[in-house]
Amino acid sequence: MKTTTQTARTSFAIAALLALAACGGGGGGGSTGAAAPASGASAPSTTSTATSANVSTPQYAAGSAQLAIFNQVNAYRQQCGFPALTENTQLDTATQNHASYNAQSNTSGDSETSGVPGYTGATYQARAIAAGYPSNVSVGGVSDGYYTNATLTGAQYGQNLLNGWVSGVYHVGIVIGPTTVVGIGEAQTTYQGFPNLFAAMTVANLQTSLSNGPVTFPCQGVTGVPYKAMAETPTPPNASSSGWGQPVEAAVAAGGTVAFTSGTMTDTSGNVINLQLLSAANDPNKELQPYQAVAYPANPLTPNTTYTVSVTGTYTDPNVSNGASQSFSRSFTFTTGNTIG
């Protein structure tokens, strides 16, 4: 019998140079770690850039989980309207150090504890600075673990890890957000004779000029996303005990705001699902940032099924009408796969 474990994930966002992300324990009996979100955070730093460690072509090993994550994230971004992320080797170092720390500690949390083997900094920001990344550039990230009692390819591990992130109401922002650079790390231990993976992804450099109104993920033509997710901390509001369906995020440039006012998904049989609508203004967990909003089904979707999404909302964007409030609507189709996030 095949057993798959993907750890409980917690929210992802970037605000005021602080990482607001943490993830639960690793497969094979790992402990749980969590970093408390910052309160009263001020507007994100958007004026600085860090390019000295950027590389024009990915340096991740062929067939690796890191390369699979990098390529798929950028495929999603380019398909849906945000530019591709650029690999930054300083962020790679910081993120690889954190993945290795989690592997040594058998945990999948975001935070690190001083004095524990492999410690390089308590937060994504601190670890990036320790690796040489500028201290005045916004940094955030996600961590996770994945185990199954089989040996998969690096590309399969990467896709499974990414599925866990994109299906999270509070994690999907790792894909579609106004950042420019990324670092990815992955480390392995062995549990019951099979690889036990620990991975992390760091994104940085929030920008005010990366959109022209709301961009969504999924968007038209996206296929193979998970049909349900089962664990995230905090749990999304109103999610059923059996999990929830693939969320739709809308994002604008840093300094903007976005919120949904209505949202539905309709399957090929005409069944209409009313979506839960979440933004910074009404998120009881205070995890979403003003530039992101999420609409999601409270129950799992159906595998291998095409859904038509219809959403409306309001937004401000520093690149549109001098930042004045605007209405928007989006209609598109996406197709689920046979995977669980």
Side-chain angles (χ1 to χ4, degrees):
M1 179 178 177
K2 183 176 179 181
T3 300
T4 298
T5 300
Q6 187 131 16
T7 61
R9 292 162 295 279
T10 64
S11 64
F12 160 79
I14 304 176
L17 311 183
L18 296 175
L20 307 184
C23 300
S31 61
T32 299
S39 60
S42 58
S45 169
T46 62
T47 57
S48 298
T49 60
T51 61
S52 62
N54 289 359
V55 293
S56 58
T57 57
Q59 304 298 299
Y60 305 116
S64 65
Q66 294 101 310
L67 183 61
I69 292 170
F70 178 84
N71 286 339
Q72 187 61 70
V73 166
N74 278 338
Y76 285 150
R77 286 176 67 90
Q78 291 177 301
Q79 182 174 0
C80 294
F82 267 132
L85 296 172
T86 299
E87 181 185 356
N88 181 282
T89 56
Q90 291 169 335
L91 294 181
D92 280 339
T93 297
T95 313
Q96 183 60 47
N97 286 342
H98 183 55
S100 298
Y101 170 93
N102 280 347
Q104 292 178 73
S105 304
N106 197 31
T107 182
S108 295
D110 285 301
S111 61
E112 295 185 9
T113 301
S114 180
V116 173
Y119 173 84
T120 55
T123 65
Y124 288 101
Q125 182 80 27
R127 294 187 290 271
I129 293 170
Y133 197 73
S135 61
N136 63 336
V137 180
S138 47
V139 176
V142 292
S143 301
D144 208 350
Y146 183 86
Y147 171 82
T148 186
N149 56 346
T151 299
L152 308 181
T153 67
Q156 289 171 321
Y157 282 123
Q159 187 62 62
N160 287 333
L161 286 158
L162 184 56
N163 283 342
W165 292 328
V166 302
S167 61
V169 169
Y170 292 119
H171 268 77
V172 65
I174 195 72
V175 173
I176 204 78
T179 49
T180 67
V181 291
V182 64
I184 304 170
E186 182 265 328
Q188 297 184 20
T189 59
T190 300
Y191 179 71
Q192 295 185 343
F194 297 103
N196 192 20
L197 267 71
F198 300 84
M201 180 174 168
T202 302
V203 293
N205 197 26
L206 283 169
Q207 292 292 296
T208 61
S209 59
L210 290 185
S211 70
N212 187 26
V215 175
T216 71
F217 177 85
C219 61
Q220 178 60 41
V222 168
T223 61
V225 293
Y227 69 93
K228 76 171 180 178
M230 299 183 64
E232 192 170 31
T233 303
T235 301
N238 302 317
S240 73
S241 59
S242 59
W244 60 92
Q246 173 64 44
V248 174
E249 172 164 289
V252 295
T257 63
V258 62
F260 288 116
T261 54
S262 69
T264 61
M265 288 183 185
T266 305
D267 66 19
T268 52
S269 297
N271 299 310
V272 179
I273 302 167
N274 291 315
L275 304 179
Q276 306 296 309
L277 309 177
L278 206 60
S279 67
N282 71 340
D283 177 14
N285 296 307
K286 306 301 181 184
E287 300 288 354
L288 295 183
Q289 297 301 301
Y291 57 79
Q292 58 183 168
V294 183
Y296 59 98
N299 294 283
L301 298 175
T302 303
N304 304 316
T305 300
T306 296
Y307 289 88
T308 298
V309 175
S310 179
V311 291
T312 64
T314 59
Y315 75 99
T316 63
D317 190 307
N319 305 297
V320 181
S321 299
N322 296 317
S325 181
Q326 307 282 316
S327 297
F328 76 96
S329 63
R330 299 287 186 272
S331 181
F332 59 88
T333 62
F334 76 93
T335 304
T336 59
N338 192 30
T339 57
I340 298 174

